Amino acid sequence: KLRGGVLGDAIGSGKTVVTIALILAGVDKARASRDFESGRSSATLIVVPPSLVRQWDDERKKFTRDKLKCIIIDSTATLTKRSVKDLCSADVVIVPASILEESDGKKRPYTVHLSRKAGAGTIPPAPATYSQREAPSIEGKWVRNMAPGPTLYVGNDGKQTKRDEQAYYGHCYAEAIANLRSKKFA
């Protein structure tokens, strides 16, 4: 049984209203699957560019007449103020994509908080490169230690260290998420 999904299309093609309609279509079933005791949320997580967080919430209100309970988490500070019960009782949680790498100067609060809650090791900063970028006409998967190719193909000037940094970041992040999912919060 498949759950979740990603909707991507051109600007103005109706992604927001389609997503809202899908959430509304399944909201009763989602609400029935909530489990406050185990900390299981059925909320739909909406990740958008920072400039679209408020706009997305305005669209939600416009199309649903506020029938969906929404929480906006615009920073790690906002996240830490929310309880598990808050998150479990939401239908929609909207976050800016930038929350993952926000910085207070020396630390990245979200990944520090995630590591602490998950009981995981330190998550390194996400590499500021495009090591996973592919040319539009090329399909395939990144393979560790592949021979450096043209920039158009590997997207990082053939620097293996950049690919390794990206892979290590992904590994640490995935490990923390797996640890977090095995925990129960009340």
Side-chain angles (χ1 to χ4, degrees), residues 54-83:
R54 298 289 172 201
Q55 178 183 332
W56 214 99
D57 191 43
D58 290 343
E59 295 292 306
R60 173 196 61 87
K61 290 173 189 171
K62 178 171 91 175
F63 290 112
T64 69
R65 294 186 183 94
D66 234 0
K67 290 180 184 172
L68 297 174
K69 181 176 180 191
C70 181
I71 292 176
I72 294 176
I73 298 175
D74 54 6
S75 68
T76 304
T78 304
L79 174 62
T80 58
K81 292 176 185 171
R82 291 293 186 166
S83 70

Short mmCIF file of all heavy atoms in Angstrom, two decimals, residues 54-83:
data_model
loop_
_atom_site.label_atom_id
_atom_site.label_comp_id
_atom_site.label_asym_id
_atom_site.label_seq_id
_atom_site.Cartn_x
_atom_site.Cartn_y
_atom_site.Cartn_z
N ARG A 54 3.37 31.39 4.13
CA ARG A 54 2.13 32.11 4.46
C ARG A 54 1.13 32.04 3.30
O ARG A 54 -0.07 31.92 3.52
CB ARG A 54 2.42 33.57 4.82
CG ARG A 54 3.31 33.73 6.02
CD ARG A 54 2.61 33.37 7.30
NE ARG A 54 3.56 33.37 8.40
CZ ARG A 54 3.39 32.74 9.53
NH1 ARG A 54 2.27 32.08 9.75
NH2 ARG A 54 4.30 32.76 10.46
N GLN A 55 1.64 32.11 2.08
CA GLN A 55 0.75 32.03 0.92
C GLN A 55 0.04 30.67 0.89
O GLN A 55 -1.17 30.60 0.64
CB GLN A 55 1.54 32.22 -0.37
CG GLN A 55 0.67 32.10 -1.62
CD GLN A 55 1.47 32.23 -2.89
OE1 GLN A 55 2.50 32.87 -2.94
NE2 GLN A 55 0.98 31.59 -3.95
N TRP A 56 0.77 29.60 1.20
CA TRP A 56 0.16 28.27 1.20
C TRP A 56 -0.95 28.20 2.26
O TRP A 56 -2.02 27.66 2.01
CB TRP A 56 1.23 27.20 1.46
CG TRP A 56 0.94 25.93 0.70
CD1 TRP A 56 1.49 25.55 -0.48
CD2 TRP A 56 0.02 24.90 1.06
NE1 TRP A 56 0.97 24.34 -0.87
CE2 TRP A 56 0.06 23.92 0.06
CE3 TRP A 56 -0.84 24.71 2.13
CZ2 TRP A 56 -0.71 22.77 0.09
CZ3 TRP A 56 -1.63 23.55 2.17
CH2 TRP A 56 -1.56 22.60 1.15
N ASP A 57 -0.69 28.76 3.42
CA ASP A 57 -1.70 28.75 4.47
C ASP A 57 -2.91 29.59 4.08
O ASP A 57 -4.05 29.21 4.36
CB ASP A 57 -1.10 29.25 5.79
CG ASP A 57 -2.03 29.00 6.97
OD1 ASP A 57 -2.61 27.90 7.04
OD2 ASP A 57 -2.16 29.90 7.81
N ASP A 58 -2.69 30.72 3.42
CA ASP A 58 -3.81 31.54 2.95
C ASP A 58 -4.68 30.77 1.95
O ASP A 58 -5.90 30.84 2.00
CB ASP A 58 -3.31 32.84 2.30
CG ASP A 58 -2.72 33.81 3.31
OD1 ASP A 58 -2.98 33.65 4.53
OD2 ASP A 58 -1.98 34.73 2.88
N GLU A 59 -4.03 30.01 1.06
CA GLU A 59 -4.76 29.20 0.08
C GLU A 59 -5.56 28.10 0.80
O GLU A 59 -6.69 27.81 0.44
CB GLU A 59 -3.81 28.57 -0.93
CG GLU A 59 -3.09 29.58 -1.81
CD GLU A 59 -4.03 30.29 -2.77
OE1 GLU A 59 -4.75 29.62 -3.51
OE2 GLU A 59 -4.03 31.54 -2.77
N ARG A 60 -4.97 27.50 1.81
CA ARG A 60 -5.66 26.47 2.60
C ARG A 60 -6.93 27.06 3.21
O ARG A 60 -8.01 26.46 3.14
CB ARG A 60 -4.75 25.95 3.72
CG ARG A 60 -5.47 25.00 4.68
CD ARG A 60 -4.69 24.81 5.96
NE ARG A 60 -4.47 26.01 6.74
CZ ARG A 60 -5.31 26.51 7.65
NH1 ARG A 60 -6.45 25.92 7.91
NH2 ARG A 60 -5.01 27.61 8.31
N LYS A 61 -6.82 28.25 3.79
CA LYS A 61 -7.98 28.89 4.40
C LYS A 61 -9.05 29.23 3.34
O LYS A 61 -10.24 29.03 3.56
CB LYS A 61 -7.57 30.17 5.12
CG LYS A 61 -6.76 29.93 6.37
CD LYS A 61 -6.25 31.24 6.94
CE LYS A 61 -5.26 31.04 8.05
NZ LYS A 61 -4.63 32.30 8.46
N LYS A 62 -8.60 29.73 2.21
CA LYS A 62 -9.52 30.14 1.14
C LYS A 62 -10.32 28.96 0.61
O LYS A 62 -11.53 29.05 0.44
CB LYS A 62 -8.73 30.80 0.01
CG LYS A 62 -9.58 31.23 -1.17
CD LYS A 62 -8.79 32.07 -2.14
CE LYS A 62 -8.15 31.21 -3.19
NZ LYS A 62 -7.46 31.97 -4.23
N PHE A 63 -9.66 27.83 0.37
CA PHE A 63 -10.33 26.70 -0.25
C PHE A 63 -11.04 25.77 0.75
O PHE A 63 -11.88 24.98 0.34
CB PHE A 63 -9.35 25.89 -1.10
CG PHE A 63 -8.92 26.60 -2.34
CD1 PHE A 63 -7.63 27.04 -2.49
CD2 PHE A 63 -9.83 26.86 -3.36
CE1 PHE A 63 -7.23 27.71 -3.64
CE2 PHE A 63 -9.45 27.54 -4.52
CZ PHE A 63 -8.14 27.96 -4.65
N THR A 64 -10.71 25.85 2.03
CA THR A 64 -11.32 24.93 2.99
C THR A 64 -12.19 25.63 4.02
O THR A 64 -12.79 24.96 4.86
CB THR A 64 -10.25 24.12 3.75
OG1 THR A 64 -9.54 25.00 4.63
CG2 THR A 64 -9.32 23.41 2.82
N ARG A 65 -12.22 26.93 3.99
CA ARG A 65 -12.93 27.71 5.01
C ARG A 65 -12.46 27.30 6.40
O ARG A 65 -13.25 27.16 7.32
CB ARG A 65 -14.44 27.55 4.85
CG ARG A 65 -14.96 28.14 3.57
CD ARG A 65 -16.48 28.07 3.52
NE ARG A 65 -16.96 28.58 2.25
CZ ARG A 65 -17.22 27.79 1.20
NH1 ARG A 65 -17.03 26.50 1.28
NH2 ARG A 65 -17.67 28.32 0.10
N ASP A 66 -11.17 27.05 6.49
CA ASP A 66 -10.51 26.71 7.75
C ASP A 66 -10.97 25.36 8.34
O ASP A 66 -10.95 25.16 9.54
CB ASP A 66 -10.71 27.83 8.78
CG ASP A 66 -9.38 28.30 9.36
OD1 ASP A 66 -8.33 27.77 8.97
OD2 ASP A 66 -9.41 29.19 10.22
N LYS A 67 -11.36 24.41 7.47
CA LYS A 67 -11.78 23.09 7.93
C LYS A 67 -10.59 22.21 8.31
O LYS A 67 -10.76 21.20 8.97
CB LYS A 67 -12.60 22.38 6.86
CG LYS A 67 -13.96 22.98 6.65
CD LYS A 67 -14.72 22.25 5.56
CE LYS A 67 -16.04 22.94 5.30
NZ LYS A 67 -16.72 22.38 4.14
N LEU A 68 -9.41 22.58 7.85
CA LEU A 68 -8.20 21.81 8.16
C LEU A 68 -7.40 22.54 9.23
O LEU A 68 -7.08 23.72 9.08
CB LEU A 68 -7.32 21.64 6.92
CG LEU A 68 -7.92 20.85 5.77
CD1 LEU A 68 -6.99 20.90 4.56
CD2 LEU A 68 -8.17 19.40 6.18
N LYS A 69 -7.07 21.83 10.32
CA LYS A 69 -6.24 22.44 11.36
C LYS A 69 -4.80 22.46 10.86
O LYS A 69 -4.25 21.44 10.48
CB LYS A 69 -6.33 21.65 12.66
CG LYS A 69 -5.50 22.30 13.75
CD LYS A 69 -5.64 21.61 15.08
CE LYS A 69 -4.75 22.34 16.08
NZ LYS A 69 -4.62 21.62 17.30
N CYS A 70 -4.20 23.64 10.91
CA CYS A 70 -2.87 23.83 10.35
C CYS A 70 -1.90 24.37 11.39
O CYS A 70 -2.26 25.22 12.20
CB CYS A 70 -2.94 24.79 9.18
SG CYS A 70 -1.37 25.09 8.36
N ILE A 71 -0.69 23.87 11.34
CA ILE A 71 0.39 24.41 12.17
C ILE A 71 1.50 24.86 11.21
O ILE A 71 1.87 24.13 10.30
CB ILE A 71 0.96 23.34 13.12
CG1 ILE A 71 -0.07 22.96 14.18
CG2 ILE A 71 2.25 23.81 13.77
CD1 ILE A 71 0.37 21.85 15.10
N ILE A 72 1.99 26.05 11.44
CA ILE A 72 3.13 26.55 10.67
C ILE A 72 4.35 26.49 11.57
O ILE A 72 4.34 27.04 12.67
CB ILE A 72 2.89 27.98 10.17
CG1 ILE A 72 1.73 27.99 9.17
CG2 ILE A 72 4.16 28.55 9.54
CD1 ILE A 72 1.34 29.36 8.69
N ILE A 73 5.37 25.82 11.10
CA ILE A 73 6.64 25.75 11.83
C ILE A 73 7.66 26.45 10.96
O ILE A 73 8.17 25.87 10.00
CB ILE A 73 7.03 24.28 12.12
CG1 ILE A 73 5.97 23.64 13.00
CG2 ILE A 73 8.41 24.22 12.75
CD1 ILE A 73 6.17 22.18 13.26
N ASP A 74 7.91 27.72 11.28
CA ASP A 74 8.79 28.51 10.42
C ASP A 74 10.25 28.51 10.86
O ASP A 74 11.10 29.05 10.18
CB ASP A 74 8.26 29.93 10.27
CG ASP A 74 8.03 30.62 11.61
OD1 ASP A 74 8.39 30.03 12.66
OD2 ASP A 74 7.50 31.73 11.62
N SER A 75 10.53 27.88 12.01
CA SER A 75 11.90 27.80 12.48
C SER A 75 12.01 26.68 13.52
O SER A 75 10.99 26.19 14.01
CB SER A 75 12.33 29.12 13.14
OG SER A 75 11.60 29.32 14.34
N THR A 76 13.21 26.33 13.86
CA THR A 76 13.40 25.31 14.89
C THR A 76 12.88 25.80 16.23
O THR A 76 12.34 25.03 17.02
CB THR A 76 14.88 24.92 14.99
OG1 THR A 76 15.31 24.49 13.69
CG2 THR A 76 15.10 23.79 15.96
N ALA A 77 13.01 27.11 16.49
CA ALA A 77 12.49 27.67 17.74
C ALA A 77 10.98 27.43 17.85
O ALA A 77 10.47 27.08 18.91
CB ALA A 77 12.82 29.15 17.83
N THR A 78 10.26 27.60 16.74
CA THR A 78 8.83 27.34 16.73
C THR A 78 8.55 25.86 16.95
O THR A 78 7.64 25.49 17.69
CB THR A 78 8.21 27.79 15.38
OG1 THR A 78 8.53 29.15 15.16
CG2 THR A 78 6.71 27.62 15.39
N LEU A 79 9.34 25.00 16.32
CA LEU A 79 9.17 23.55 16.47
C LEU A 79 9.32 23.12 17.92
O LEU A 79 8.52 22.34 18.43
CB LEU A 79 10.18 22.81 15.59
CG LEU A 79 10.23 21.29 15.75
CD1 LEU A 79 8.91 20.65 15.36
CD2 LEU A 79 11.38 20.72 14.92
N THR A 80 10.34 23.64 18.60
CA THR A 80 10.60 23.21 19.98
C THR A 80 9.50 23.68 20.95
O THR A 80 9.38 23.15 22.04
CB THR A 80 11.98 23.68 20.48
OG1 THR A 80 12.05 25.11 20.39
CG2 THR A 80 13.10 23.06 19.65
N LYS A 81 8.71 24.67 20.54
CA LYS A 81 7.61 25.15 21.39
C LYS A 81 6.35 24.31 21.21
O LYS A 81 5.41 24.44 21.99
CB LYS A 81 7.30 26.61 21.08
CG LYS A 81 8.41 27.55 21.49
CD LYS A 81 8.11 28.97 21.08
CE LYS A 81 9.29 29.87 21.40
NZ LYS A 81 9.13 31.21 20.82
N ARG A 82 6.32 23.47 20.20
CA ARG A 82 5.14 22.65 19.92
C ARG A 82 5.22 21.32 20.66
O ARG A 82 6.28 20.73 20.77
CB ARG A 82 5.01 22.37 18.42
CG ARG A 82 4.65 23.58 17.61
CD ARG A 82 3.25 24.02 17.96
NE ARG A 82 2.82 25.10 17.08
CZ ARG A 82 1.58 25.47 16.98
NH1 ARG A 82 0.64 24.88 17.67
NH2 ARG A 82 1.25 26.45 16.19
N SER A 83 4.09 20.85 21.13
CA SER A 83 4.05 19.56 21.81
C SER A 83 3.73 18.46 20.80
O SER A 83 3.27 18.74 19.69
CB SER A 83 2.98 19.57 22.90
OG SER A 83 1.69 19.60 22.32
#
